[in-house]
Amino acid sequence: MTRKPRIAILGTGNMALALGKSFMASGHFIAYGSRRPETKNDFHEAAGTESRIWGYQAAIDAGEIVIITLPYKEVAAMARKFANSLRNKVVVDITNPFAAQPNNGESGAQVTATAIGEGARVVAAFKTNFASTFDHPNDSTGEPREVHYAGDDEEAMEIVEGLISEIGFKPIDCGSLAEAVVLDHMVPLMIRLDTTEHSAQHLSSWRITPG
Ligand SMILES: NC(=O)c1ccc[n+]([C@@H]2O[C@H](COP(=O)([O-])OP(=O)(O)OC[C@H]3O[C@@H](n4cnc5c(N)ncnc54)[C@H](OP(=O)(O)O)[C@@H]3O)[C@@H](O)[C@H]2O)c1
């Protein structure tokens, strides 16, 4: 059996754990990257004893794929600092800019790719999925929830498509990294509609239907 790629997840919050637990259950080794790993004494109770928690550099070095689950405002500086290590790895950017949306029309993920520089292989994904839905990849109709993803590197896009499928979600190719700006804007709308239509349970998800 071929070994599944090791995944580094930068951050140890809600989305880090939701993604980490899903990918660990699917057979990946997970290295979490934290600002202060030495303070996270109880982390393995939540994350599972098979995972590791290190600083950003060690986690990135351990991962063949890197998922960024930090607050958006932290991402560009982190990406610049660790650019040499992130370059040529598949980097999955799940972060949502909200009020910090670039005002030149770029997507948040484009800013991340620019910060990494030449050789960046960034794919925007999981931006439009609430953390609480990862325990239920199928929605209340029994259908797999969509995960929107977008990027410019064909091979990286294929890898992310596979990652989405293997944890039970339905990958929806939304185009280029520039087009990922639409995903950034879908998130505030998703939160608003989840509140007005579904009592802010954070279990809603987008679906494009065949009509
Ligand atoms: N929550 C959702 O449903 C959801 C869905 C889709 C996308 N997102 C996006 O995913 C990202 C993470 O969301 P989350 O809900 O997982 O956030 P969270 O629970 O607050 O976790 C963020 C993690 O980032 C690390 N971090 C680094 N610098 C930080 C800083 N200055 N302030 C706070 N934390 C910092 C922290 O890990 P250490 O303390 O270990 O360093 C923290 O655990 C955000 O960009 C968000 O927009 C969230």
Side-chain angles (χ1 to χ4, degrees):
M1 200 177 73
T2 52
R3 181 181 64 76
K4 294 205 172 180
R6 294 184 289 265
I7 299 179
I9 298 182
L10 305 185
T12 59
N14 293 319
M15 280 299 276
L17 280 168
L19 287 161
K21 285 197 266 188
S22 298
F23 286 121
M24 203 160 75
S26 175
H28 295 265
F29 169 79
I30 306 294
Y32 291 92
S34 172
R35 291 166 296 174
R36 288 183 290 276
E38 69 285 358
T39 64
K40 308 271 172 181
N41 297 328
D42 300 332
F43 187 68
H44 287 298
E45 278 172 34
T49 51
E50 300 300 306
S51 63
R52 293 289 174 270
I53 177 167
W54 289 315
Y56 288 164
Q57 183 67 65
I60 293 168
D61 288 347
E64 292 153 294
I65 295 166
V66 180
I67 307 181
I68 305 175
T69 72
L70 308 179
Y72 174 77
K73 65 181 171 55
E74 305 293 338
V75 176
M78 181 283 299
R80 273 191 295 274
K81 184 169 178 188
F82 296 99
N84 284 340
S85 306
L86 292 170
R87 209 161 280 147
N88 301 319
K89 293 196 182 196
V90 174
V91 173
V92 182
D93 184 354
I94 75 148
T95 68
N96 290 317
F98 295 108
Q101 186 70 44
N103 56 18
N104 61 358
E106 285 195 336
S107 66
Q110 278 181 293
V111 175
T112 306
T114 302
I116 295 171
E118 190 77 23
R121 304 177 72 201
V122 176
V123 177
F126 299 108
K127 287 170 178 264
T128 56
N129 299 90
F130 283 119
S132 35
T133 61
F134 283 78
D135 284 339
H136 317 278
N138 288 352
D139 66 18
S140 56
T141 71
E143 293 293 313
R145 298 174 193 272
E146 296 176 355
V147 172
H148 307 110
Y149 68 111
D152 298 334
D153 181 309
E154 208 173 306
E155 194 196 10
M157 284 286 281
E158 274 173 31
I159 289 168
V160 173
E161 177 186 17
L163 288 174
I164 294 166
S165 297
E166 73 176 70
I167 59 170
F169 289 82
K170 180 178 179 183
I172 304 286
D173 183 339
C174 294
S176 68
L177 215 52
E179 288 169 297
V181 72
V182 176
L183 307 186
D184 292 342
H185 288 296
M186 283 166 76
V187 177
L189 179 61
M190 177 177 80
I191 293 169
R192 177 170 149 194
L193 295 179
D194 180 65
T195 303
T196 55
E197 303 292 321
H198 296 295
S199 317
Q201 292 183 66
H202 297 173
L203 288 171
S204 314
S205 40
W206 294 105
R207 177 177 306 290
I208 182 93
T209 64

